[in-house]
Amino acid sequence: MDRTEAGERIEKLRREIETHNHSYYVLSNPLISDYEFDQLMNELEALEKEYPDLITPDSPTQRVGSDLTPEFRQYEHKYPMLSLGNIYNEEELKAFCDRIEKTAGGPVEYVCELKFDGVSVSLNYRNNSLYMALTRGDGNAGDDVTRNVRTIKSIPLRVSGSNIPPDFVIRGEILMSRPVFDRLNRERIQDGLPAFANPRNAASGTLKLLDPKIVASRRLDCMFYFLLGEDIPHETHYKNLKQAEEWGFRISEGISICRNAAEIMDFVKKWDEDRKKLIYDIDGVVIKVNSLALQQEAGFTAKSPRWAAAFKFRAEQVTTRLLSVSFQVGRTGTVTPVANLDPVFLAGSTVRRASLHNADQIGILDLHINDMVYVEKGGEIIPKITGVDLSERDENNIKVSFITRCPECGTPLERNEGEANHFCPNYLHCPPQITGRIEHFISRRAMAIEGLGTETVDLLFKEGLIRNFADLYELRTEQLVPLERLGEKSARNIINSIRESAGIPYSRVIFALGIRHVGETTARTIARNFRSVDELMNADFERLTGIREIGPRIASSIISYFRDEENIEIIRRLKSYGLNLREERKEERKEEDQEEHETEEGRKEGMKEGKKEAVLAGKSIVISGVFHRHSRDEYREIIEKRGGKNVSSPSSNTSFILAGENMGPSKREKAESLGIPLISEEEFLELIGEE
Ligand code: IVH
């Protein structure tokens, strides 16, 4: 690899690592396993070692990951919170021991401990009392989570016993036991909330909650493993932990003194097996030099102590039979191979399917149908195939080959230079791409159209009632009613929800369009930088890439989206239905956000109290301006109770605007252009029969 290539690879690795750091620390939703993450970091470190002039201060190698959250106050750690270097096999373990023993000039005592997989916390005690609990944060400063930590029963708020230093720091891992985790997830699923992927994410999400009462109800626990301070009582790590246990801290029983690599290996093997019996997840073993004097002599690198290391377990693995491979076409045309497996139990659930990523992956694995394959949970979430047990291969097994034509529409597949995925280029007519785009458009984070699920969309498409998402706005109740499973009432609700979606803010409409590579965050960036979709449509490559968050890949995708006549026509139609395809002025926006919130509440109210005389049945009404006889809230209620719908923004479906004084100019303009009648407060009261 020459210098230019190394530079490019370094950049790519940095972007990838940053994405994973964000998923792990901020979203609590890791996408790859720790092992895979370490491989990326190792490669980056090796390249930066070879080309030190390419190191930049913002490279992920120059910091430890951060979990800082703006809602919490941050304080500096008295002693930085470092991470540990990883060891994956016996050879690396021997190298670690050799290094230490060389420093010591003789045999060394090691302490082996379980590596608990939770969230690390640093507790500060003074005069026997806990006064501050910090998360790891960026290693130098952490979030102050004292209020939450105080609710954890196994953490002593006051310590007692002998040899307690006036000031000390103790570190441990906050954990959620598997039974508590399972119960919490069951409750969350019942409440329609997303389940946590694993106990670590649940513990980390819980620790960052703003309400300590909820934290208390989640029954967290804490296992301690490191005592620090000026006057700590003993000369060895082991004795200090045992002493801390006497003061009231919870120390794991899985702790043992070992004298060489072989003894350490026995400890690792024993716990790799026995970990299934624990109620807490562990992901390895931590090996520490026992003598504090030798620890000091061995010292630290910039990121981790030289006197300790983490021996990481391989992710839990099972073997099962590969029954077949299917190919799925997503809304952007990407074709994903999926392995269908003989069902097998793995790390807490039954696995039937596993992701195969792309053609390269299938090639690397050299997969054959009927092979016995190794399955792992990547980051403990999405199962994947990591290898084939060749000793079990039958010579008649047929090699898996990647398809050449789209399984849905028969179009020859394509693959872009430098990209790993095949895709179906039949953007306009490939059915799952069409329905996928419509499903994306109506989804909760986009236009939030209710009552339309995947099956109904498929049905509408099959019946020829919709060919794209603009067609949704032409649907009539009578067309929906005859469809399977749809009664009159649901049909009406769907139509109402479609009409109401005209009030969805501009940035979400941009997201809903489903432009390749434009996710929610990019859509918001676009909305901030382009006041209208017309402005976006006319932007060239330079203008787009001039925006910090928009790179060449996104820019090209936006340009090609607007090159397509069909898309332009869809946007023209969406405009004519009154969708927000331009940013409204700031003050106006705020007012509408509030209204949206109010409308949602109003809907619930209306449901609770039942409808009164339905003089406004089927009417879609916008409230705007200042009123004298009732407050806006009361008008909202009046409308709901009389069968009407209060919508936040005028569209071609709006029946009328209840117009008070000082109505917002943009609403007035929009109403005029759409020919929507304005009704004054007096006229409205007359209409509903109130004097
Ligand atoms: S010792 C300087 N001991 O693993 C020594 N860490 O990557 C620092 N962990 O951030 C840590 N169990 O969150 C240590 N028995 C144990 C541990 C442990 C889990 C976590 C801890 C740390 C990470 C190291």
Side-chain angles (χ1 to χ4, degrees), residues 674-690:
L674 293 168
I676 304 170
L678 303 186
I679 290 194
S680 71
E681 188 171 18
E682 270 62 43
E683 286 168 321
F684 180 77
L685 290 172
E686 207 170 294
L687 179 74
I688 60 164
E690 194 180 312

Side-chain angles (χ1 to χ4, degrees), residues 39 59 81 99 125 135 144 196 212 221 285 323 348 373 476 480 544 648 660 686:
Q39 302 287 86
S59 172
M81 272 181 101
R99 229 180 9 252
Y125 285 78
T135 65
D144 177 359
F196 285 111
D221 207 338
V285 161
L323 302 178
V373 292
R476 280 169 288 114
L480 294 183
L544 287 162
S648 53
E686 207 170 294

Side-chain angles (χ1 to χ4, degrees), residues 384-428:
K384 61 183 173 182
I385 294 182
T386 53
V388 175
D389 182 354
L390 291 175
S391 67
E392 294 275 328
R393 174 170 293 166
D394 188 302
E395 59 183 41
N396 298 321
N397 289 0
I398 297 167
K399 195 175 162 68
V400 176
S401 51
F402 207 86
I403 46 173
T404 53
R405 287 180 176 273
C406 175
E408 302 284 343
C409 69
T411 306
L413 298 180
E414 290 180 13
R415 183 176 178 172
N416 285 336
E417 181 85 27
E419 282 187 19
N421 292 315
H422 284 78
F423 67 96
C424 165
N426 188 9
Y427 172 82
L428 289 178

Side-chain angles (χ1 to χ4, degrees), residues 80-86 113-121 136 171-173 223-226 237 283 285-286 288 300 304-305 307-308 310:
M81 272 181 101
L82 302 173
S83 58
L84 291 173
N86 288 331
E113 298 168 16
L114 304 185
K115 185 171 186 304
F116 289 99
D117 193 11
V119 192
S120 49
V121 70
R136 170 177 152 131
R171 290 186 178 155
E173 201 81 352
M223 221 48 112
F224 290 90
Y225 49 66
F226 196 17
H237 172 67
D283 60 347
V285 161
V286 181
K288 297 172 187 169
F300 297 85
S304 52
W307 48 265

Side-chain angles (χ1 to χ4, degrees), residues 398-556:
I398 297 167
K399 195 175 162 68
V400 176
S401 51
F402 207 86
I403 46 173
T404 53
R405 287 180 176 273
C406 175
E408 302 284 343
C409 69
T411 306
L413 298 180
E414 290 180 13
R415 183 176 178 172
N416 285 336
E417 181 85 27
E419 282 187 19
N421 292 315
H422 284 78
F423 67 96
C424 165
N426 188 9
Y427 172 82
L428 289 178
H429 304 111
C430 177
Q433 296 192 54
I434 301 172
T435 50
R437 281 195 294 273
I438 299 173
E439 277 157 25
H440 169 75
F441 183 83
I442 63 178
S443 64
R444 205 165 48 85
R445 308 184 99 116
M447 302 305 281
I449 295 174
E450 285 166 20
L452 271 181
T454 313
E455 284 171 29
T456 322
V457 168
D458 284 349
L459 208 56
L460 289 169
F461 176 70
K462 271 202 208 99
E463 296 291 324
L465 291 170
I466 49 172
R467 280 169 303 103
N468 57 48
F469 44 74
D471 291 342
L472 291 169
Y473 294 86
E474 304 262 337
L475 283 176
R476 280 169 288 114
T477 314
E478 315 83 82
Q479 291 175 302
L480 294 183
V481 175
L483 293 182
E484 265 180 272
R485 290 184 296 271
L486 269 188
E488 169 98 29
K489 191 158 173 258
S490 338
R492 209 162 336 108
N493 286 342
I494 292 173
I495 299 293
N496 280 339
S497 185
I498 293 174
R499 288 188 183 153
E500 272 186 25
S501 73
I504 292 288
Y506 171 55
S507 69
R508 273 172 61 185
V509 181
I510 298 279
F511 171 60
L513 295 178
I515 304 171
R516 222 172 172 209
H517 308 310
V518 176
E520 276 176 289
T521 313
T522 310
R524 277 196 291 271
T525 304
I526 290 174
R528 266 199 315 276
N529 286 279
F530 300 90
R531 311 284 297 168
S532 68
V533 80
D534 293 328
E535 207 182 309
L536 177 66
M537 209 182 288
N538 293 321
D540 59 14
F541 190 79
E542 277 65 43
R543 166 86 210 275
L544 287 162
T545 47
I547 294 161
R548 203 164 58 91
E549 296 95 329
I550 298 184
R553 191 177 65 132
I554 300 175
S556 311

Side-chain angles (χ1 to χ4, degrees), residues 40-242:
L40 295 175
M41 273 300 254
N42 290 347
E43 189 186 342
L44 179 60
E45 270 166 3
L47 280 171
E48 288 185 346
K49 205 166 171 190
E50 201 175 331
Y51 300 97
D53 56 315
L54 295 180
I55 299 178
T56 54
D58 62 354
S59 172
T61 55
Q62 306 301 301
R63 66 161 189 182
V64 283
S66 161
D67 65 8
L68 295 173
T69 314
E71 284 85 359
F72 290 91
R73 286 188 70 166
Q74 278 96 40
Y75 292 96
E76 222 166 273
H77 290 296
K78 218 184 235 171
Y79 309 94
M81 272 181 101
L82 302 173
S83 58
L84 291 173
N86 288 331
I87 288 176
Y88 292 102
N89 51 45
E90 198 165 350
E91 205 184 318
E92 289 172 8
L93 172 66
K94 282 195 181 122
F96 169 77
C97 293
D98 284 350
R99 229 180 9 252
I100 298 283
E101 281 154 33
K102 203 167 147 202
T103 311
V108 172
E109 222 172 55
Y110 302 94
V111 180
C112 287
E113 298 168 16
L114 304 185
K115 185 171 186 304
F116 289 99
D117 193 11
V119 192
S120 49
V121 70
S122 184
L123 308 186
N124 294 260
Y125 285 78
R126 189 176 294 143
N127 302 330
N128 299 350
S129 287
L130 169 70
Y131 69 92
M132 189 155 67
L134 299 177
T135 65
R136 170 177 152 131
D138 62 5
N140 293 315
D143 284 334
D144 177 359
V145 289
T146 316
R147 267 156 48 89
N148 287 345
V149 159
R150 280 184 195 283
T151 69
I152 301 173
K153 301 277 191 324
S154 53
I155 292 182
L157 302 181
R158 287 190 61 79
V159 287
S160 58
S162 50
N163 297 330
I164 302 175
D167 227 309
F168 69 90
V169 172
I170 189 160
R171 290 186 178 155
E173 201 81 352
I174 300 220
L175 303 163
M176 185 179 280
S177 73
R178 233 169 287 119
V180 171
F181 166 76
D182 289 340
R183 202 194 56 208
L184 173 65
N185 263 358
R186 271 198 305 277
E187 286 167 8
R188 285 175 72 85
I189 291 164
Q190 261 167 21
D191 295 346
L193 295 167
F196 285 111
N198 52 46
R200 182 194 51 225
N201 290 1
S204 124
T206 303
L207 197 63
K208 293 295 182 82
L209 287 172
L210 296 177
D211 183 353
K213 275 202 220 79
I214 309 179
V215 181
S217 74
R218 297 258 180 103
R219 306 232 311 265
L220 295 173
D221 207 338
C222 192
M223 221 48 112
F224 290 90
Y225 49 66
F226 196 17
L227 182 67
L228 296 112
E230 306 283 307
D231 325 286
I232 48 172
H234 303 286
E235 288 301 311
T236 62
H237 172 67
Y238 187 83
K239 280 191 183 159
N240 282 323
L241 283 192
K242 287 289 169 192

